[in-house]
Amino acid sequence: MVYIVILNWQGAQDTIACLRSLFAMSGQRFRLLVCDNRSQDDSYEVIKQWVEAQAPEDRMQLSLRELSAQEASRHVVDERESCLYLIQTGANLGFAGGNNVGIRMALNQPDMEYVWLLNNDTEVAPDCLSKMVERCREDPSIGICGAKLVYAHDRGKLQGLGGCYNPWLCTTRHYEALSPSEGHYDRALVEEQIDYVIGASMLLSRPLLEQVGMLREDYFLYYEELDLCLRAKGRFRLGVSLDSVVYHKEGASTASGTSALSDYYIVRNRLKLTRRFHPLRLPIVWASLFLVWLNRLRRGEYAKARVVARIIVKGR
């Protein structure tokens, strides 16, 4: 059984579009856990009302079950029921904290084989999940499996097939970004080249979660997936299913993709991750932030420049 965890924060319409695409999937049994990070708009109620009003295909027979984070941490699913679980996390816990509420609930379930962390600003192909599970079962050493991420606004272009990490500067880039989505890619080469699976779609195995752990919550936003993949290195392989297609709107799930707050976490977490995994390279990464600061000034992004300057001075 796959437990699909979708984190919502003030993005009800994106979440509903994502759920519509999941309802249309076939070939793999799954349960849905929607975690709301105490949205300050009416997202929770909008999602609740939409689910209650739906009459999915007979095979789904979904009912709605509401839980608090505390209730979810103790809840054991009745296998005879087919529910969509709407979980109120109680606060804005960030990407890791909100997803971990769903992961904890999934780990309680004896039938859980995989947890699929899926951004709410995505829509998926009907066979997406079944193809990812198929890839993992081909190679049980895979602990984290990604998909082919395609831009929702331009379905002819890839967002990426995974990510590459430069530990000297703590910078990242998406592998094959902007390449044709219908192009031919060698799976073995992709899996050899990538350093992490992009967080918009991550299929996590039960052994990985039990042995490596959940997402680290002190990042709050950005770099959580890279941290998890670095912790898994040497114990589990990264996999990619090139037959699994996820359409990603990119940035909608944070509602802050270009804000100074978003920039703060992107820049701060470069230092946090380097301290954790490559502390001897920290002076180089710290020095590189001066270039980030100058670039923000050059572009006239003065609020972001102030944020970067504060991180440089305080180191956090």
Side-chain angles (χ1 to χ4, degrees), residues 18-252:
C18 180
L19 290 172
R20 284 188 191 276
S21 72
L22 293 172
F23 287 168
M25 285 197 311
S26 60
Q28 173 61 50
R29 294 178 65 228
F30 61 88
R31 291 197 176 96
L32 287 164
L33 314 180
V34 177
C35 300
D36 181 74
N37 251 358
R38 185 61 75 182
S39 295
Q40 297 303 299
D41 60 5
D42 58 354
S43 283
Y44 184 94
E45 285 300 319
V46 169
I47 294 168
K48 176 184 173 181
Q49 291 169 14
W50 181 82
V51 174
E52 290 175 334
Q54 293 313 295
E57 297 177 16
D58 289 343
R59 66 180 179 82
M60 295 294 294
Q61 292 290 312
L62 279 178
S63 58
L64 178 69
R65 181 76 179 268
E66 295 181 82
L67 299 171
S68 68
Q70 293 73 24
E71 290 168 337
S73 68
R74 302 186 300 267
H75 186 74
V76 177
V77 168
D78 184 340
E79 295 184 9
R80 297 168 296 179
E81 295 180 340
S82 182
C83 296
L84 184 151
Y85 294 89
L86 184 56
I87 304 168
Q88 179 52 255
T89 69
N92 186 357
L93 304 178
F95 179 84
N99 275 300
N100 280 348
V101 170
I103 294 173
R104 287 188 190 96
M105 177 172 166
L107 282 168
N108 282 344
Q109 315 311 319
D111 65 348
M112 187 274 279
E113 296 178 85
Y114 302 98
V115 172
W116 187 14
L117 300 186
L118 184 66
N119 272 23
N120 75 317
D121 61 343
T122 61
E123 296 178 33
V124 305
D127 61 351
C128 181
L129 180 55
S130 62
K131 293 294 185 181
M132 279 197 294
V133 171
E134 182 180 303
R135 175 68 192 117
C136 290
R137 288 181 175 156
E138 286 174 355
D139 184 352
S141 69
I142 292 174
I144 308 174
C145 187
K148 179 189 285 187
L149 286 181
V150 175
Y151 283 113
H153 68 277
D154 185 350
R155 297 194 172 192
K157 291 182 181 178
L158 291 176
Q159 182 190 0
L161 301 176
C164 300
Y165 163 58
N166 178 350
W168 289 100
L169 298 175
C170 198
T171 55
T172 60
R173 64 178 178 85
H174 289 173
Y175 186 78
E176 293 290 356
L178 303 180
S179 295
S181 61
E182 297 297 327
H184 174 74
Y185 302 97
D186 184 301
R187 187 184 68 193
L189 178 62
V190 174
E191 292 180 346
E192 178 185 329
Q193 293 291 317
I194 64 171
D195 298 305
Y196 64 94
V197 169
I198 298 170
S201 172
M202 303 178 76
L203 187 70
L204 311 176
S205 73
R206 186 180 197 107
L208 175 121
L209 290 167
E210 291 178 339
Q211 296 176 40
V212 177
M214 298 185 292
L215 300 172
R216 279 186 169 139
E217 298 183 12
D218 58 345
Y219 290 99
F220 191 78
L221 191 63
Y222 303 119
Y223 283 87
E224 304 94 339
E225 72 268 46
L226 176 55
D227 179 285
L228 182 61
C229 291
L230 290 176
R231 282 187 280 144
K233 192 173 183 179
R235 289 192 275 178
F236 295 90
R237 292 189 63 243
L238 303 182
V240 177
S241 171
L242 299 180
D243 297 321
S244 299
V245 180
V246 174
Y247 301 103
H248 188 204
K249 298 170 190 175
E250 194 183 29

Side-chain angles (χ1 to χ4, degrees), residues 94 170 217-224 254 256-273 275 285 289 292-293 296 299 301-316:
C170 198
E217 298 183 12
D218 58 345
Y219 290 99
F220 191 78
L221 191 63
Y222 303 119
Y223 283 87
E224 304 94 339
T254 63
S256 60
T258 59
S259 71
L261 182 63
S262 175
D263 213 42
Y264 166 75
Y265 288 114
I266 291 172
V267 175
R268 183 204 69 166
N269 288 347
R270 288 172 61 181
L271 296 178
K272 184 177 288 290
L273 186 131
R275 285 192 190 98
V285 174
L289 299 187
V292 176
W293 175 68
R296 301 294 187 269
R299 296 192 307 216
E301 297 174 339
Y302 301 116
K304 291 183 178 183
R306 286 194 293 272
V307 167
V308 176
R310 188 162 66 247
I311 294 170
I312 291 172
V313 171
K314 294 184 177 181
R316 56 183 175 82

